[in-house]
Amino acid sequence: MEKTSASLRNVQLLLVFGLLLVILGGCGASTEPINAETTGVFNHYVVWPFSFSIKFFAGMFAGNYGLSLVFMTFLIRLALMPLMMKQYKSQRTTREKMAHIQPAMKEIQEKYKDRKNPENQKKLQQEMMALYREHNFNPITSMGCLPMLIQFPIMIGFYYAIMRTPEIAEHSFLWFNLGQTDMILPFIAGGVYLIQFRVSMSGMDDQQQKQMAMLGYVTPIIMGVFSFNVAAALPLYWSVSGLLLIFQTMFFKSVYREKKQAVETTTV
């Protein structure tokens, strides 16, 4: 259990560090307009295609770059949906396995509760590993981090494409100018991701919710604070992306619940 909790904390720290890396890196990253001749593998094969697509769809929407960003965000989330579904299934399976083996884990921990010497602690770890092997459970690989890591280059590429497409800053959308700071969008972006966290945590037990609390509450705060210092195009992107995540999470929970109920009905 202790190893699993540590693994969860490590995943949280990785996600928060990744978000900070994107945000802080964006502060010092090149904001020069990008084009097909821009050097660099990441620039040429990730950032530039996104920038080109933003301008292409803006042309389709009569020059509305706000709608283009919304549509592009929708397309990206749609493309990432299979990966997110795989990640969600993996995390759900992990939680179910944890709930199943938790009584045995507590029994082992209770057995060695008052035996703090190195030899007994080694035996504790050995019995825990034996329990994991018996149930074919790895607390680290079962976290389903690979799909999440695959998403990083895509989301970062789109982030930089927004920063390096100057045409965006020349247009307005709804009540705000896409190239200027807005005082309302940061609260929307932070609130959306807070709601997304609460939706994703529904169905988890109290202990798991506590383990994920840092990620759930720190991320919206970081996004909200940073949004006060950037062009409104970025919090618009984050807000739309967060809303789509909420609907995707609700969809995943519904599909998984229906499949689980169907299996139970068939078994009965």
Side-chain angles (χ1 to χ4, degrees), residues 54-90:
I54 290 172
K55 290 184 280 189
F56 174 78
F57 287 116
M60 290 184 60
F61 293 126
N64 192 321
Y65 275 82
L67 280 180
S68 177
L69 290 176
V70 171
F71 186 67
M72 281 289 296
T73 305
F74 172 77
L75 290 181
I76 291 171
R77 282 296 170 194
L78 187 63
L80 291 174
M81 197 168 177
L83 281 175
M84 293 189 64
M85 188 70 169
K86 179 178 176 62
Q87 180 182 344
Y88 179 82
K89 286 182 178 180
S90 177

Side-chain angles (χ1 to χ4, degrees), residues 65 67 92 96 109 130 171 185:
Y65 275 82
L67 280 180
R92 189 72 179 250
E96 291 175 352
Q109 290 172 339
H171 293 79
L185 277 177

Side-chain angles (χ1 to χ4, degrees), residues 222-242:
I222 293 175
M223 281 188 165
V225 171
F226 183 68
S227 295
F228 281 109
N229 300 293
V230 296
L234 285 174
L236 170 64
Y237 158 55
W238 288 330
S239 299
V240 174
S241 181

Side-chain angles (χ1 to χ4, degrees), residues 88-186:
Y88 179 82
K89 286 182 178 180
S90 177
Q91 292 174 343
R92 189 72 179 250
T93 301
T94 298
R95 292 197 297 269
E96 291 175 352
K97 283 188 176 182
M98 280 295 300
H100 179 67
I101 67 176
Q102 195 169 28
M105 293 171 64
K106 287 184 177 180
E107 186 178 333
I108 294 173
Q109 290 172 339
E110 188 68 24
K111 177 180 176 181
Y112 291 97
K113 182 175 65 173
D114 299 321
R115 306 176 187 180
K116 301 297 183 181
N117 61 73
E119 183 179 349
N120 282 314
Q121 288 301 302
K122 184 177 180 180
K123 291 180 180 179
L124 168 64
Q125 296 299 327
Q126 289 174 344
E127 290 191 28
M128 293 291 281
M129 293 305 297
L131 179 65
Y132 291 154
R133 285 194 298 271
E134 179 184 348
H135 293 275
N136 192 28
F137 175 70
N138 188 318
I140 298 177
T141 60
S142 297
M143 288 297 161
C145 297
L146 182 59
M148 176 182 62
L149 294 175
I150 293 174
Q151 295 177 48
F152 273 151
I154 299 173
M155 306 310 294
I156 293 173
F158 191 54
Y159 170 89
Y160 283 127
I162 294 174
M163 293 178 60
R164 302 182 65 179
T165 306
E167 290 85 352
I168 295 175
E170 300 170 3
H171 293 79
S172 297
F173 182 63
L174 298 178
W175 70 86
F176 52 89
N177 186 302
L178 291 168
Q180 298 178 0
T181 302
D182 182 73
M183 294 293 106
I184 299 176
L185 277 177

